[in-house]
């Protein structure tokens, strides 16, 4: 079916089955769901980079082959094929620019790959391009400071051969002039409040919200010219949106506060929802079990979750994971290493998510009192390919790492912990988002919760 229209399309009648498709940064997963929510099959294929639709079509063919005599199913798709967003930071002072960049990137699906401080020169622009950023955070001193460096850097970027979007979050008095310079040459710019409005104070919330919007466009992927038109027609949601929808369904069905930790190859997402409350999502672009594995080890040490001895033992492991993003465990030992890195990613990501709920930073757009709520969690769900290994003892060790963490334990003390081993959560979110709520509920009850 390469080059053909998606079977059924999202507008197919609700009485037909559905292929729920998740295009990840490394693997493309597909499940076939009957109209009543029954799970009819699963298939996956390596996500193809030159033409993402090759992997998509292969996964769809694989899952529909066994149902060839049934009515043509709809294809409901979400994507995180773009992976974590690579962020470059350009500012005036190194320490402030570095700290601001990491604070803005955190929980917005991004990770910092380069920081430059001071006036940009042609060689600096070449170095910047060499780091292949997907977005740039442009800073420029406190409000009222001398704007010359900010305006110089805006002019350099306006004239440079760069196409990535720019989040402008510097000196408020110079913002309009910098914005005019950048937009005069067609640069894509999102302007927001200053990250460092006064000396010694960082307010990352507005820039983080702006960067999250950039990430939402980036993460969908599928930008190769041959693939882009059909891929855009097929994919209506990014994967974190589908999982957030599934989390909200779980909270409604169970009548309790739900925490979902979705560990992927390039990002780790955390979703929380309570009955009748707006679900909340954070996406960590520096945590994952392949492309972002080194970030997991770095942050686990910073959070004092691993000791120096274990960190030394895991160093070679995470380097191998980063170098071979498409690798799969070949033996019980490598599977255990995968689970350990996933457990650390889950703890760090959950800590960040819950820490932000309890003490949101000034300027953050989400008010936690209007979102998922606070207090004890009734259900925790672990999602992601690493948790579909069906090793009871190994998964038990992951659960123990979460439940015994000193920061998480008070909130998770009474929580049940389930593993999305059948890949039900994102498909249920897709079904619910396409008004197939009965099928979504049945899928969650039968293949995650274990009963209706």
């Amino acid at each position: 079916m390469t080059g053909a229209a998606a079977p059924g399309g999202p507008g197919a009648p609700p009485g037909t089955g559905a292929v729920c498709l998740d295009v990840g940064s490394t693997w493309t997963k597909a499940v076939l769901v009957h109209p009543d929510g029954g799970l009819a099959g699963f298939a996956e294929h390596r996500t193809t980079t030159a033409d993402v639709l090759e992997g998509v079509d292969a996964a769809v063919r694989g899952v529909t082959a066994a149902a060839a005599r049934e009515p043509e199913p709809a294809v409901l798709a979400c994507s995180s094929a773009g992976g974590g967003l690579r962020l470059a930071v350009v500012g005036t002072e190194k320490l402030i620019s570095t700290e601001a960049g990491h604070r803005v990137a955190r929980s917005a699906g991004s990770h910092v790959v380069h920081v430059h401080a001071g006036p940009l020169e042609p060689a600096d622009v070449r170095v910047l391009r060499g780091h292949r950023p997907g977005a740039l955070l442009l800073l420029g001193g406190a409000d009222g400071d001398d704007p010359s460096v900010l305006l110089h850097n805006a002019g350099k970027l306006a004239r440079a051969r760069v196409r990535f979007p720019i989040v402008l979050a510097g000196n408020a008095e110079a913002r309009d002039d910098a914005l005019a310079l950048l937009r005069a040459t067609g640069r894509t710019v999102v302007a927001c409040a200053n990250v460092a409005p006064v000396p010694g104070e960082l307010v990352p919330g507005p820039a983080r919200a702006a960067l999250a919007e950039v990430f939402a466009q980036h993460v969908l992927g599928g930008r190769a010219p041959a693939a882009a038109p059909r891929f855009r027609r097929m994919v209506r949601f990014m994967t974190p949106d589908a999982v957030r929808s599934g989390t909200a369904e779980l909270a409604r069905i169970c009548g309790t506060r739900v925490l979902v930790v979705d560990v992927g190859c390039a990002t780790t997402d955390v979703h929380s929802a309570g009955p009748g409350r707006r679900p909340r999502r954070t996406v960590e672009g520096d945590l994952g079990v392949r492309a972002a594995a080194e970030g997991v080890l770095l942050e686990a040490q910073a959070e004092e979750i691993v000791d120096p001895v274990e960190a030394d033992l895991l160093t070679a492991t995470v380097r191998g994971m980063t170098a071979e993003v498409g690798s799969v465990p070949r033996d019980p030992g490598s599977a255990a290493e995968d689970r350990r890195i996933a457990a650390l990613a889950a703890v760090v990501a959950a800590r960040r998510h819950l820490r932000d709920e309890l003490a949101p930073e000034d300027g953050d757009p989400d008010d936690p009192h209007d979102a998922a709520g606070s207090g004890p969690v009734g259900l925790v769900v672990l999602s992601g390919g690493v948790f579909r290994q069906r090793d009871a003892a190994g998964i038990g060790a992951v659960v123990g790492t979460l439940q015994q963490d000193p920061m998480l334990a008070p909130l998770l003390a009474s929580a049940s912990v389930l593993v999305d081993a059948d890949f039900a959560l994102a498909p249920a979110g897709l079904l619910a988002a396409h008004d197939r709520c009965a099928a979504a509920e049945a899928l969650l009850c039968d293949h995650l919760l274990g009963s209706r």
Side-chain angles (χ1 to χ4, degrees):
M1 54 179 281
T2 301
T16 62
V19 172
C20 295
L21 187 71
D22 179 10
V23 186
S25 62
T26 306
W27 295 95
T28 295
K29 291 82 63 180
V31 294
L32 179 61
V33 183
H34 288 311
D36 63 359
L39 193 59
F42 173 83
E44 62 183 341
H45 192 277
R46 188 75 56 86
T47 299
T48 44
T49 54
D51 182 353
V52 70
L53 289 172
E54 291 181 13
V56 166
D57 292 339
V60 173
R61 282 196 302 269
V63 81
T64 56
R69 296 182 181 180
E70 297 183 10
E72 189 172 52
V75 172
L76 314 179
C78 61
S79 174
S80 59
L85 180 64
R86 297 170 62 86
L87 178 68
V89 183
V90 173
T92 57
E93 199 277 326
K94 189 75 170 183
L95 288 177
I96 293 175
S97 298
T98 300
E99 178 64 16
H102 286 288
R103 293 273 294 274
V104 169
R106 183 157 295 175
S107 300
S110 308
H111 59 284
V112 176
V113 296
H114 178 63
V115 178
H116 173 86
L120 283 167
E121 300 302 334
D124 301 321
V125 176
R126 289 193 292 272
V127 171
L128 172 64
R129 286 203 309 264
H131 283 86
R132 301 178 291 106
L136 184 140
L137 175 65
L138 180 57
L139 307 174
D143 294 343
D145 280 357
D146 179 359
S148 59
V149 175
L150 173 60
L151 295 175
H152 169 88
N153 288 341
K156 281 288 185 183
L157 291 168
R159 296 188 296 272
R161 291 184 293 108
V162 297
R163 296 184 178 180
F164 43 70
I166 296 170
V167 175
L168 174 60
N171 189 327
E173 283 78 2
R175 186 183 305 129
D176 289 346
D177 289 340
L179 187 62
L181 284 170
L182 291 164
R183 287 186 171 166
T185 55
R187 299 291 172 260
T188 300
V189 189
V190 181
C192 60
N194 195 352
V195 172
V198 298
E201 180 182 346
L202 292 179
V203 184
R208 181 183 296 149
L211 189 62
E213 291 300 316
V214 174
F215 169 76
Q217 297 301 313
H218 156 85
V219 73
L220 290 174
R223 309 227 184 277
R230 183 159 72 97
F231 191 78
R232 283 197 298 267
R233 289 195 300 270
M234 178 184 296
V235 177
R236 305 296 180 90
F237 299 93
M238 61 177 181
T239 301
D241 282 343
V243 177
R244 179 169 59 179
S245 176
T247 304
E249 282 295 296
L250 275 179
R252 181 186 64 78
I253 294 166
C254 298
T256 188
R257 188 180 181 207
V258 176
L259 186 74
V260 171
V261 185
D262 187 12
V263 181
C265 291
T267 64
T268 296
D269 311 344
V270 181
H271 306 258
S272 53
R277 308 299 290 270
R278 180 166 54 88
R280 182 172 178 270
R281 173 187 73 223
T282 50
V283 181
E284 307 300 342
D286 61 338
L287 306 176
V289 291
R290 288 293 180 269
E294 289 185 345
V296 174
L297 187 55
L298 181 67
E299 290 300 307
Q301 292 177 85
E303 295 263 1
E304 299 182 344
I305 300 169
V306 297
D307 59 37
V309 174
E310 184 182 12
D312 286 343
L313 293 173
L314 288 173
T315 296
T317 296
V318 299
R319 286 176 180 166
M321 290 175 171
T322 304
E324 300 181 36
V325 295
S327 64
V328 295
R330 296 181 176 84
D331 54 66
S334 58
E337 290 172 340
D338 270 17
R339 287 192 298 270
R340 180 56 178 162
I341 296 301
L344 296 175
V347 170
V348 173
R351 280 185 174 194
R352 290 179 182 177
H353 183 93
L354 296 172
R355 187 185 292 134
D356 285 350
E357 278 190 354
L358 295 172
E361 294 173 309
D362 290 343
D364 276 350
D366 283 337
D367 176 1
H369 301 293
D370 185 42
S374 57
V377 174
L379 175 64
V380 176
V381 177
L382 298 176
S383 183
V386 67
F387 299 128
R388 294 198 292 273
Q389 296 172 0
R390 299 182 187 276
D391 181 314
I395 295 299
V398 175
V399 172
T401 301
L402 277 167
Q403 291 180 322
Q404 295 163 23
D405 178 73
M407 185 175 292
L408 302 179
L411 290 172
L412 306 185
S414 60
S416 301
V417 183
L418 300 176
V419 176
D420 186 19
D422 288 343
F423 183 53
L425 191 57
L430 284 170
L431 291 167
H434 287 87
D435 297 323
R436 297 174 178 234
C437 295
E441 180 171 345
L443 181 61
L444 290 171
C445 288
D446 293 346
H447 293 279
L448 181 57
L449 299 175
S451 68
R452 292 184 187 275

